[in-house]
Amino acid sequence: MKPTPSAALVAIRDLSLSFPGKPAGTWFKALDEVSLDIRPREILGLVGESGSGKTTLGKAILRLHRPSSGSITIDGRDIAQLGERQLKPFRRDLQMIFQDPAASFNPRRTIGQALSQPLLTQRLARRAELPERIETLLRRVGLPARFSSSFPHELSGGQLQRVAIARALALAPALIVADEAVSKLDVSVRAGVLNLFKDIQAETGLSMLFITHDLEVARFLCHRIGVLYHGRLVEIGPAAEVFSRPLHPYTKLLLGTLDAADDDSGDIRRMQSVSNSGCRYLNTCPLAIDLCRERRPELEALRTGHLVACHRAGEWAAPGAVPRRAEQTSA
């Protein structure tokens, strides 16, 4: 069962993206037929280990990467293969907040100049209106208007990330992709920025794809959670349910809920082996059976709004059920 596009702000279907690999002539599949919806007024969290494809998916949705195949539908139009000129009307509605705020600003331009540029480029303000617009943006993210004349190096990491949020909000976008937006911040300032995200989303009703490796951040901030494993979406559902009743063995391992007696995969950081046939998680999964080798599992709903790509997930979908290793049998 694939997500339905009826209530979607952005509908992604069978999205794949490959990069040239080594040796020459080979290809690395960073995204493998990913399908999901980003709904109006929601924060969708995207979690998974480093290298799972989270950032690649975020950039593909914003068309900073051109997908190899699949569709990205916004306002009834597939933008996956559009050229830059055709994409221009969509750019205003699709904004990104990067992981490293210091690297995302020109060190030679003031904060006021950085916030002015998108407004001028999109012709949303005259030059005479800029000081008032910039002051409003800075105050919206909890910063004083005097920061307008400051340079990026004069601000702390937390302050600069707030400016990055203000810059993304300047164009009143429909969707913001936040890529590990708090991972480089000190713990002491992280909570403030997360609360800012939450408040702004509640006030404006914008949608957000929040990419993070920090499960506690995802639990706090996100309405729904999608789990990526080496370019495949293996589970997606309401945040509270994914955390309390995960369905995919990989999600269970991320959350530390997989029965230790059934887990001989070792440290999660060692999980590098990927199956290119059948289930992509096959070579790591301690619960795999022969069917997992023979047929790739597709996302299906085992609970309302909770989808999983696992042949065996139905065995432990009921409350209190525990995954157990199965004998290898022919399907």
Side-chain angles (χ1 to χ4, degrees):
M1 175 178 172
K2 297 281 180 72
T4 57
S6 56
L9 174 72
V10 182
I12 296 99
R13 295 293 178 272
D14 298 322
L15 197 69
S16 295
L17 195 155
S18 296
F19 295 110
K22 294 182 179 180
T26 63
W27 292 85
F28 167 69
K29 183 169 276 190
L31 298 176
D32 188 2
E33 297 184 352
V34 175
S35 294
L36 58 82
D37 288 341
I38 303 173
R39 300 169 182 167
R41 306 184 66 88
E42 83 162 347
I43 301 177
L44 174 64
L46 201 59
V47 303
E49 298 169 88
S50 296
S52 63
K54 303 187 300 297
T55 295
T56 301
L57 179 57
K59 289 184 174 181
I61 292 170
L62 298 185
R63 275 304 317 277
L64 301 179
H65 293 314
R66 185 191 289 267
S68 305
S69 61
S71 64
I72 305 165
T73 303
I74 302 173
D75 289 336
R77 187 170 184 187
D78 179 9
I79 70 167
Q81 301 300 327
L82 295 184
E84 192 54 45
R85 180 174 296 181
Q86 295 168 302
L87 283 168
K88 189 174 181 179
F90 295 93
R91 291 300 188 196
R92 175 180 168 183
D93 277 334
L94 304 172
Q95 296 295 309
M96 188 164 191
I97 299 170
F98 296 92
Q99 179 178 14
D100 186 354
S104 67
F105 287 92
N106 186 333
R108 297 179 180 178
R109 307 193 73 187
T110 66
I111 297 305
Q113 290 171 328
L115 294 178
S116 297
Q117 189 59 53
L119 294 170
L120 292 173
T121 300
Q122 294 290 334
R123 299 180 180 179
L124 294 179
R126 295 188 295 271
R127 288 192 178 274
E129 299 171 331
L130 288 175
E132 183 179 352
R133 293 288 293 271
I134 291 167
E135 179 178 350
T136 299
L137 284 169
L138 288 173
R139 293 198 182 282
R140 192 175 196 180
V141 296
L143 295 175
R146 60 181 171 81
F147 277 21
S148 175
S149 59
S150 301
F151 287 90
H153 72 272
E154 297 177 303
L155 276 63
S156 69
Q159 290 168 339
L160 200 54
Q161 194 63 297
R162 287 174 181 264
V163 176
I165 296 169
R167 182 175 59 183
L169 292 173
L171 301 182
L175 174 70
I176 289 178
V177 174
D179 183 15
E180 299 282 7
V182 297
S183 65
K184 286 189 174 291
L185 303 182
D186 292 338
V187 174
S188 58
V189 299
R190 189 176 301 175
V193 174
L194 287 173
N195 281 318
L196 176 63
F197 274 123
K198 209 166 194 176
D199 292 344
I200 287 173
Q201 192 277 332
E203 292 168 9
T204 65
L206 64 79
S207 295
M208 187 180 301
L209 179 66
F210 196 89
I211 297 166
T212 182
H213 68 278
D214 190 322
L215 298 177
E216 288 306 312
V217 166
R219 187 200 299 262
F220 171 78
L221 188 65
C222 302
H223 301 109
R224 290 190 301 141
I225 301 290
V227 183
L228 275 183
Y229 177 78
H230 284 280
R232 287 284 289 179
L233 187 68
V234 297
E235 184 166 357
I236 186 168
E241 196 165 288
V242 169
F243 278 97
S244 63
R245 298 170 62 192
L247 292 174
H248 197 280
Y250 176 58
T251 310
K252 291 173 178 288
L253 195 56
L254 281 178
L255 297 174
T257 61
L258 190 63
D259 189 337
D262 293 316
D263 178 17
D264 60 359
S265 58
D267 193 322
I268 195 169
R269 290 171 296 181
R270 292 167 48 201
M271 299 195 306
Q272 300 297 326
S273 180
V274 177
S275 171
N276 290 317
S277 62
C279 178
R280 203 162 176 79
Y281 189 52
L282 170 70
N283 293 341
T284 299
C285 184
L287 308 173
I289 57 176
D290 287 346
L291 178 61
C292 305
R293 182 175 295 103
E294 296 166 5
R295 193 174 75 219
R296 169 177 285 188
E298 300 295 333
L299 282 174
E300 61 175 329
L302 294 189
R303 303 182 188 128
T304 302
H306 192 166
L307 287 72
V308 62
C310 176
H311 292 306
R312 296 194 59 204
E315 299 175 29
W316 51 79
V322 178
R324 294 292 176 186
R325 187 188 304 276
E327 296 297 326
Q328 296 298 302
T329 58
S330 298

